[in-house]
Amino acid sequence: MENNKQNESSQNQGQKTPNQSNNAPRERRPNPHRQNNNGNRPQSQGENSNRPNPNKKPNPNRKPNPNQEVNGNVQEKPAPNGNKKPNPNQNRNNNQNRNGGNNNQNKKPNNSNNKPSNNNKPNNNQNRNSGNKNRGKRKNVTTVNDTMRASIEINAKVKDATMNPWKKIDMSSKGKIRFTPLGGLGEIGGNMAVLETESTAIVIDVGMSFPDETMHGVDILVPDFSYLHALKESGKKVFVIITHGHEDHIGAMPYLFKELQFPVYGTPLALAMIENKFNEHGLSKYTKYFNFVTLREQYQIGDLKIEWLHNTHSIIDACSLAIETPAGIIMHTADFKIDHTPVDNYTMDLRRYAYYGEKGVLCLFSDSTNSHNPGFTKSEKVVGKTFDSLFDMAKGRVIMSTFSSNVHRIVQAMERAVKHGRKICVIGRSMERNIETNRALGFVDIEDKHFIEVHEVPKYSDHEILIVTTGSQGETMAALNRMATDEHRHIKLKPSDTVIISASAIPGNEASVSGLMNKLIKAGCTVRYKEFSDIHVSGHAAQEEQKLILRLVQPKFFLPVHGEYNHIAKHAKTAVECGVDERNILLMSDGDQIELTTKYLKKVKTVKSGKTYIDNQNNMTIENDVVLDRQKLAEDGIINVVAQISQANQKVVGKPVISTHGLVPDKEDKKFQKEIEVLLETLLLNMKPEALKNHKDIENDIRAVIRKHVVRTKKRYPLIIPTIFIV
C-alpha cells in the first residue's frame, strides 16, 4: 500500500505546476492527447478567458471549419526570407504546449492504465489545417547564379537568330533589284512578272486568263507585252522562267513568241506542253530556245543564280524558285499546296525551303489564292476515295470531266476504271494531248490495252466504259457541253449515264457551269458535283500551309502574289502573325514596280500593263476598240441614219432611212424614226449654207443632235452612225 501510495504521489507530483501548493486545489497540467481536457479546467488568475485553448483537439469525425483559426495560440510570423530553406519539422505538431521552460512538453504521455487510446493516432484534419496556414507564405525561389544567367542570354540569342535568319544578310550590299507584276494580281490567272537587275531580267511565267461576260467574242486574255519590248530595247538580257504547265502560267507563250523570242527555262513537262502549243501556232522552230532544268541544281542565268524546287500542286512537275540576286536571296513559291500524301509520293521539298531560310532570305513571294481558307487543303488522294464510291454506285457509263492539266486526278479515275473492268475513252483535244504527253514522259503508267477510240464506244456495254472529257467549266465548244446539247457526233447521253464534274468553277464561270448542269439534268443523267465534298480539292495552299512556308523561310520582306486584292491583303495579315514586320510588306497591283534592297522595299513607278483580247477561232488578236464597240452595242444599242441632203435648199431629199438595234422595241420604231426626221429638218434649217460643203462636219452635227435627244429621252448612249449624201 505504501508503495502504491508513493507511486501515486510521485505521479501526482509530476503533474503539478511550479506554483501549486499542497493546500490549493489541484490543477492538472493539460494533457495534449485528451480530446476534451479543458471543460472543467479552472482559469488561472492572469489568463484571458477569451483566449482559445491551444490544447483543444477537434473531433476527428467532424469536418473542419474553414473559417476557424487553426491555432489561436500561435502568433503569426512574417513571411520568411525567400532564400531561407523551410523547416520540415515545423508543422509536425501545432498543438504542442509552447510554455517556455516546461521540460515535460516533450515527454511521452502517461498511460498509467495501459489502455490503448485513439489519442495517439495522428489527426489528419489537424495536419491539413496546419498546411493551409503556411500555404503561400513560403516560396522556394531558385537562386540564379552567373552561369545560369549567361546560359539564358546565350539561348535567347540563339532563339532570336532562329526566328530572324534574315539578319545573316550582308546589310552592306549595294545590290538593287526591281519586281514588276504584269498579270496575276487583282485577278485569278494570267500570271506574269518581271524580276530584273542592272543587266538581267527574268520573266516568271507567261499565262493567260479568261474574259468576263462583257468581252463579247473574246475567248482568252493575254498580258500586254509592252514592257518586255522596252526591256529588250534597253539592252538587258531577258529570259523566261516557267514554274509549271498550267494554262494560267504558260497559255500566253505562243502570243509572246509571235512578238519576241527569249531563252526559256523549265522542267520537261512544262516545256513539252509549251511545245504542243507552239506546234498548233506554227512556232515549232522556236523550241530551240528551250532549256530543261534539273531540280536542286543552280543555273547561272545572267547575273542571277536560280534553283527549281519541287512542290505539290494540281499538276505534275510544279516548282518553286530560289533566286540568288546581287541584293540577296529571293524565294518565289509559285502555285503550291503542301500535300503530305501526293498521288505520286513526291512531296514538297520543304527541306530545301528550310535550307534557304537558314541562309537568310531577303524577300518571299507567295501564292495567295486560298488565303481566306483556314486550316489545310486536303490531299489529292481523298478524291480517289470519292471515285471509289462513285464507281461503285454507277450502273451505266461513267463520264468524268476535270481540268485537262490535272493529270493526277485523271490517273486516279483511270485506275478505278481498270479496277472495275472499264475501258477508257479520252475525248477533247487538250485532254488527249495532255494525257499522251504525260504518258510519253512516263508520268502516266497505264497500258494501251485499256484505252479505246471514241468510235469504239458502242461496241462495249455501258458498265464497261469510262469517258474522260473536257468541259468542266461549261465551255461552249467543249466536248461535254456538246454532249449535253446532243451535238456530239459520237456520244449521245443516256439516263443511265453518271456524269462526274471533278472541278470547281473558276471565278466568272459560275453561270456557265450552272447552265451545263441544267442541260445534263434535262438529258436525264445522274450528275455528281458538289454534293460530294471530296469530289474536288484545291491545288492551292490554305492558311496553315502559308504559315508553314513563312516560318520555314522567315524572310525580311514579303510580297503576296497570285490573287485578287482581298486575297493578298489577307495573306499579308497572316505574314504579320508569323513575325514579318508590317512595314516590310507591300500590296501590289499589276504594273506596280517595286524596288528592293537589303535596307528598304518601296514602289518606284507604274509601267504599262493590261490585257490583249484573243479570238480562239483564228488565234488572232482583237483590237481594244473592237471590243469596246461590242460592249457599247450590247449595252446601249446602235442607230443608223442614211439620208440625202439637197445643197440647193438644205432639205432632206426623199425619206431618210433610220434603223435601230438594241434601243427601242419594234412597235415603237415608226415613232422614233419620226422624231429623228424632225431633228434633221430642224438642224438643216438652222445650218449655214457653207456647212454643207464638208461631209464630216454634217455627220458630226447630226450625231451630236441625235445623241442629245436619246440621252434626254432614253437615258442611253448608243453608237450612232450617220451616212450623208450631198446632192
Side-chain angles (χ1 to χ4, degrees):
M1 288 293 292
E2 275 188 43
N3 291 335
N4 291 337
K5 288 181 179 179
Q6 187 177 1
N7 291 336
E8 185 178 354
S9 174
S10 64
Q11 289 180 0
N12 292 337
Q13 286 178 2
Q15 294 176 355
K16 291 179 182 178
T17 59
N19 298 327
Q20 189 176 5
S21 63
N22 293 333
N23 297 328
R26 188 177 64 177
E27 181 175 315
R28 292 185 179 179
R29 181 176 62 84
N31 187 341
H33 299 285
R34 293 181 64 182
Q35 276 192 334
N36 192 7
N37 60 356
N38 66 341
N40 299 319
R41 184 172 70 88
Q43 183 174 329
S44 59
Q45 187 175 357
E47 191 174 359
N48 187 355
S49 61
N50 294 327
R51 181 178 176 185
N53 187 353
N55 300 315
K56 179 179 178 180
K57 276 190 168 186
N59 187 339
N61 296 323
R62 181 182 298 170
K63 293 183 180 179
N65 185 355
N67 298 322
Q68 183 179 0
E69 282 195 48
V70 177
N71 192 343
N73 246 357
V74 180
Q75 185 178 357
E76 284 193 2
K77 296 181 180 180
N81 188 340
N83 293 328
K84 184 177 180 181
K85 295 184 178 180
N87 184 355
N89 300 321
Q90 184 171 355
N91 293 330
R92 281 187 181 174
N93 190 353
N94 284 336
N95 282 338
Q96 286 181 350
N97 188 355
R98 303 195 179 189
N99 294 331
N102 188 353
N103 295 328
N104 292 329
Q105 63 181 353
N106 293 325
K107 287 184 180 180
K108 294 182 179 179
N110 184 10
N111 297 329
S112 57
N113 296 328
N114 295 325
K115 292 182 180 181
S117 172
N118 290 333
N119 295 334
N120 292 328
K121 295 181 180 179
N123 190 333
N124 292 332
N125 291 335
Q126 182 181 4
N127 291 339
R128 188 178 295 116
N129 290 339
S130 300
N132 289 338
K133 175 183 174 184
N134 293 319
R135 185 173 297 165
K137 290 189 176 181
R138 291 194 173 151
K139 297 180 181 178
N140 186 8
V141 179
T142 303
T143 302
V144 180
N145 55 32
D146 292 341
T147 305
M148 184 182 294
R149 188 173 288 106
S151 177
I152 292 172
E153 292 175 358
I154 292 172
N155 280 324
K157 291 179 180 178
V158 171
K159 284 189 232 178
D160 181 69
T162 303
M163 300 308 295
N164 299 284
W166 58 265
K167 292 183 178 179
K168 298 177 184 177
I169 298 171
D170 181 12
M171 301 304 291
S172 63
S173 171
K174 302 298 182 183
K176 183 185 298 183
I177 58 175
R178 290 193 175 188
F179 180 77
T180 313
L182 298 174
L185 283 169
E187 62 177 336
I188 302 294
N191 299 288
M192 185 171 81
V194 177
L195 184 71
E196 57 187 298
T197 64
E198 296 297 328
S199 61
T200 304
I202 60 172
V203 183
I204 303 174
D205 294 329
V206 186
M208 51 150 279
S209 56
F210 292 102
D212 59 36
E213 64 277 1
T214 66
M215 301 174 186
H216 306 282
V218 178
D219 296 310
I220 64 172
L221 307 174
V222 301
D224 190 308
F225 301 131
S226 300
Y227 188 64
L228 302 188
H229 283 276
L231 286 174
K232 186 173 183 179
E233 292 170 2
S234 68
K236 285 188 178 182
K237 297 178 181 178
V238 183
F239 305 87
V240 176
I241 306 299
I242 301 297
T243 61
H244 64 283
H246 269 153
E247 289 294 310
D248 61 334
H249 290 259
I250 65 168
M253 280 292 288
Y255 303 98
L256 171 63
F257 268 69
K258 287 176 182 178
E259 300 181 26
L260 299 164
Q261 296 81 43
F262 303 119
V264 184
Y265 290 78
T267 55
L269 178 60
L271 295 187
M273 296 176 78
I274 294 174
E275 182 179 1
N276 292 335
K277 291 183 173 296
F278 279 11
N279 293 338
E280 283 185 4
H281 289 260
L283 303 173
S284 55
K285 61 182 179 180
Y286 293 129
T287 57
K288 65 183 179 181
Y289 287 93
F290 290 178
N291 297 273
F292 300 96
V293 300
T294 302
L295 301 177
R296 283 197 167 200
E297 283 192 14
Q298 275 194 335
Y299 292 83
Q300 186 75 46
I301 299 176
D303 59 355
L304 303 173
K305 291 181 180 179
I306 305 178
E307 178 180 337
W308 277 254
L309 315 178
H310 177 70
N311 70 25
T312 44
H313 187 39
S314 53
I315 189 173
I316 298 171
D317 246 6
C319 294
S320 304
L321 302 173
I323 308 169
E324 292 191 13
T325 73
I329 297 173
I330 304 296
M331 294 204 73
H332 194 305
T333 65
D335 289 354
F336 80 100
K337 73 174 182 180
I338 301 177
D339 191 343
H340 298 295
T341 57
V343 174
D344 58 5
N345 289 323
Y346 292 113
T347 57
M348 191 168 180
D349 197 352
L350 297 176
R351 286 172 291 178
R352 208 62 181 162
Y353 270 90
Y355 164 78
Y356 278 103
E358 190 64 27
K359 291 180 72 174
V361 172
L362 180 63
C363 188
L364 172 67
F365 304 89
S366 189
D367 176 21
S368 306
T369 306
N370 276 356
S371 58
H372 286 288
N373 295 4
F376 296 86
T377 301
K378 291 183 179 180
S379 170
E380 182 65 32
K381 274 192 175 179
V382 304
V383 180
K385 296 178 182 178
T386 304
F387 284 166
D388 286 330
S389 301
L390 297 179
F391 274 77
D392 288 338
M393 290 187 289
K395 303 303 179 185
R397 296 181 300 186
V398 175
I399 302 172
M400 196 276 288
S401 180
T402 188
F403 297 108
S404 62
S405 58
N406 197 342
V407 176
H408 278 157
R409 187 162 306 170
I410 297 168
V411 167
Q412 290 187 91
M414 290 179 174
E415 289 173 347
R416 270 69 184 176
V418 172
K419 177 182 174 182
H420 288 79
R422 293 176 180 264
K423 294 295 182 181
I424 304 166
C425 176
V426 182
I427 301 177
R429 185 178 60 178
S430 62
M431 186 72 74
E432 294 173 12
R433 186 180 59 207
N434 285 342
I435 290 175
E436 287 306 314
T437 300
N438 279 274
R439 291 185 72 195
L441 296 178
F443 294 117
V444 177
D445 187 17
I446 296 178
E447 298 179 17
D448 290 341
K449 65 181 182 180
H450 297 295
F451 292 90
I452 60 172
E453 296 295 330
V454 63
H455 64 269
E456 299 178 275
V457 170
K459 298 179 182 179
Y460 296 86
S461 300
D462 287 351
H463 67 277
E464 295 178 320
I465 296 295
L466 166 67
I467 297 174
V468 180
T469 183
T470 56
S472 63
Q473 296 302 301
E475 303 97 318
T476 304
M477 299 305 295
L480 184 59
N481 191 75
R482 287 187 283 121
M483 294 178 199
T485 55
D486 200 23
E487 296 176 0
H488 198 278
R489 185 171 59 175
H490 296 286
I491 304 299
K492 306 298 178 183
L493 295 180
K494 303 177 182 179
S496 59
D497 291 341
T498 297
V499 179
I500 302 172
I501 300 179
S502 183
S504 62
I506 295 172
N509 289 354
E510 293 86 358
S512 300
V513 175
S514 179
L516 173 65
M517 294 275 293
N518 292 331
K519 295 172 187 174
L520 293 171
I521 293 172
K522 282 183 180 179
C525 300
T526 300
V527 181
R528 306 296 189 186
Y529 187 38
K530 287 186 176 180
E531 67 270 24
F532 291 85
S533 59
D534 292 336
I535 201 169
H536 167 74
V537 295
S538 176
H540 298 273
Q543 289 177 7
E544 295 304 315
E545 296 154 275
Q546 293 173 345
K547 290 176 184 177
L548 178 55
I549 294 300
L550 284 161
R551 286 302 189 184
L552 284 174
V553 175
Q554 293 289 157
K556 179 176 183 180
F557 299 108
F558 178 65
L559 292 173
V561 293
H562 298 178
E564 298 175 1
Y565 194 84
N566 67 88
H567 298 137
I568 64 173
K570 181 62 177 176
H571 201 176
K573 292 180 180 178
T574 301
V576 172
E577 292 174 3
C578 291
V580 181
D581 192 328
E582 190 174 3
R583 296 169 296 178
N584 291 346
I585 302 174
L586 273 181
L587 303 184
M588 301 175 292
S589 299
D590 287 343
D592 291 345
Q593 188 163 93
I594 306 301
E595 188 171 274
L596 179 64
T597 69
T598 56
K599 297 179 178 63
Y600 64 82
L601 173 73
K602 66 179 181 180
K603 176 183 172 181
V604 290
K605 67 176 182 178
T606 300
V607 304
K608 184 182 178 184
S609 64
K611 298 297 179 186
T612 301
Y613 307 111
I614 304 296
D615 183 351
N616 257 356
Q617 303 305 311
N618 52 22
N619 288 327
M620 298 297 290
T621 299
I622 306 172
E623 296 300 327
N624 291 2
D625 56 349
V626 174
V627 177
L628 291 174
D629 286 345
R630 291 175 181 175
Q631 291 174 352
K632 196 165 192 62
L633 289 171
E635 293 172 3
D636 297 304
I638 183 173
I639 301 173
N640 287 308
V641 179
V642 180
Q644 290 182 336
I645 299 176
S646 171
Q647 194 170 12
N649 57 12
Q650 293 187 208
K651 290 186 178 180
V652 177
V653 178
K655 197 172 179 115
V657 178
I658 301 168
S659 62
T660 66
H661 298 278
L663 184 63
V664 295
D666 292 343
K667 62 183 179 181
E668 296 182 10
D669 274 348
K670 290 183 179 179
K671 178 184 177 183
F672 184 76
Q673 290 171 6
K674 186 65 177 174
E675 292 174 0
I676 301 303
E677 289 177 15
V678 172
L679 287 175
L680 285 176
E681 291 174 1
T682 305
L683 175 66
L684 293 173
L685 286 175
N686 297 320
M687 188 176 291
K688 295 179 180 180
E690 58 268 19
L692 294 176
K693 295 179 181 179
N694 192 324
H695 280 73
K696 276 194 172 182
D697 289 344
I698 297 175
E699 289 176 355
N700 288 336
D701 290 342
I702 293 174
R703 187 180 290 111
V705 169
I706 295 175
R707 179 179 291 110
K708 186 176 180 180
H709 173 72
V710 173
V711 169
R712 185 177 67 252
T713 58
K714 307 296 182 185
K715 308 301 182 189
R716 308 305 299 170
Y717 298 85
L719 190 65
I720 302 170
I721 305 176
T723 305
I724 303 300
F725 300 94
I726 306 296
V727 294

